[in-house]
């Protein structure tokens, strides 16, 4: 109700590492160099040796502070999926830290002051085995309950931004790196096909003073990097 809603947004891949690498580099998965990282976490190969620029590097050089809060150790500078963040905090261990991640993020936001900041928060939920909001019911119902966990944290952030007055200078973008299959096309989980249930994702952009709208044309998350650079007044290479 407050945002520009892209009703036909799509992810460039159907897995987290591949999609985020595309989102942060503005290059497709097939355009990046992937190689084995001996101490990898949840994937056999990473783009840690790929030399493509990631947009946080450009922001940092342009005087914009950058910070990332994540539940995945491999969504950090060292793995090349993202690169150039001035600050990073990872909540290692078993997933289920949505409240801790957002609480730490809001504490950091409160210390920012008047200078510009790009802030990225990555939740692992909702994710298989869909047990972080109870184990009763079919898989799809448990998945939806995990969506609600994240929704609660987004609501907490919105209330914080409003109460602190930061909403008057904050653009808030909400999206996902892939969908999930629950029997459609005889598949389950993600990373198993490129059907709509896996590539179609939410994309909401709330800007200070911006009018809500629905955009129905096809868009891709690969275009988020240059869009963010535009918002910060930085040129896209």
């Amino acid at each position: 109700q407050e945002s520009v809603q892209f009703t036909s947004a799509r992810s460039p891949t159907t897995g987290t590492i591949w999609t985020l690498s595309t989102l942060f580099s503005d290059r497709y998965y097939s355009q990046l160099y992937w190689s084995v990282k001996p101490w990898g976490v949840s994937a056999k190969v990473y783009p840690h040796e790929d030399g493509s620029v990631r947009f946080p590097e450009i922001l940092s050089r342009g005087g914009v502070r950058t910070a990332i809060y994540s539940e995945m150790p491999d969504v950090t500078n060292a793995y090349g999926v993202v690169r150039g963040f001035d600050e990073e905090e990872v909540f290692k261990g078993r997933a289920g830290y949505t409240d801790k991640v957002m609480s730490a993020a809001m504490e950091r936001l409160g210390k920012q002051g008047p200078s510009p900041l790009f802030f990225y928060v990555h939740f692992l939920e909702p994710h298989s085995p869909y047990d972080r909001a109870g184990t009763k019911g079919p898989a799809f119902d448990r998945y939806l309950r995990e969506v609600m966990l994240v929704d609660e944290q987004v609501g907490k952030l919105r209330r914080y931004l409003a109460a602190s007055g930061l909403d008057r200078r904050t653009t808030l973008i909400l999206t996902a790196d892939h969908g999930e299959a629950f029997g459609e096309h005889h598949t389950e989980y993600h990373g198993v096909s490129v059907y709509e249930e896996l590539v179609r994702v939410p994309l909401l952009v709330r800007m200070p003073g911006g009018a809500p709208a629905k955009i129905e044309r096809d868009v891709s998350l690969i275009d988020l990097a240059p869009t963010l650079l535009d918002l910060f007044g930085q040129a896209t290479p």
Side-chain angles (χ1 to χ4, degrees):
Q1 292 174 343
E2 301 174 359
S3 304
V4 176
Q5 178 186 2
F6 294 88
T7 61
S8 192
R10 288 174 177 83
S11 171
T13 81
T14 60
T16 297
I17 299 303
W18 314 318
T19 292
L20 294 184
S21 297
T22 294
L23 192 159
F24 278 87
S25 68
D26 194 33
R27 291 176 181 265
Y28 287 107
Y29 170 88
S30 57
Q31 295 176 293
L32 298 172
Y33 178 71
W34 297 77
S35 56
V36 174
K37 193 168 184 60
W39 42 278
V41 178
S42 61
K44 294 181 179 179
V45 295
Y46 294 91
H48 61 290
E49 296 179 317
D50 178 80
S52 307
V53 67
R54 306 318 194 243
F55 77 85
E57 297 177 273
I58 301 173
L59 291 177
S60 293
R61 291 198 295 265
V64 178
R65 192 72 182 172
T66 58
I68 180 171
Y69 281 66
S70 173
E71 291 183 65
M72 293 182 68
D74 35 11
V75 184
T76 54
N77 290 316
Y79 290 82
V81 176
V82 302
R83 187 183 295 135
F85 279 98
D86 301 310
E87 307 169 29
E88 60 182 17
E89 183 165 348
V90 182
F91 291 78
K92 298 180 181 180
R94 188 176 179 278
Y97 291 113
T98 52
D99 187 64
K100 293 181 180 179
V101 170
M102 186 56 78
S103 295
M106 290 190 302
E107 182 179 354
R108 170 61 182 84
L109 286 173
K111 300 176 181 177
Q112 178 57 25
S115 57
L117 171 71
F118 171 73
F119 204 87
Y120 181 64
V121 179
H122 179 261
F123 292 116
L124 191 56
E125 294 84 2
H127 200 284
S128 173
Y130 326 121
D131 61 353
R132 289 133 207 165
T135 57
K136 293 183 178 180
F140 184 66
D141 291 350
R142 302 199 308 272
Y143 176 82
L144 288 183
R145 289 201 298 268
E146 289 196 15
V147 172
M148 291 173 64
L149 288 180
V150 176
D151 186 65
E152 289 176 4
Q153 300 307 316
V154 175
K156 183 188 297 184
L157 175 61
R158 286 175 63 249
R159 290 189 295 273
Y160 173 79
L161 292 173
S164 64
L166 287 173
D167 60 337
R168 295 192 293 271
R169 52 176 286 210
T170 300
T171 294
L172 184 61
I173 300 175
L174 175 68
T175 190
D177 42 34
H178 57 75
E180 195 83 342
F182 291 91
E184 301 93 337
H185 302 98
H186 308 289
T187 61
E188 296 180 344
Y189 196 56
H190 56 268
V192 294
S193 79
V194 289
Y195 285 114
E196 283 282 90
E197 59 269 17
L198 295 190
V199 298
R200 194 162 178 173
V201 292
L203 178 58
L204 304 169
V205 181
R206 182 196 181 280
M207 299 183 67
K214 274 190 178 180
I215 307 296
E216 296 181 354
R217 69 176 181 269
D218 293 338
V219 296
S220 170
L221 297 188
I222 197 173
D223 292 322
L224 271 181
T227 301
L228 284 159
L229 290 174
D230 284 348
L231 287 173
F232 282 101
Q234 302 294 317
T236 298

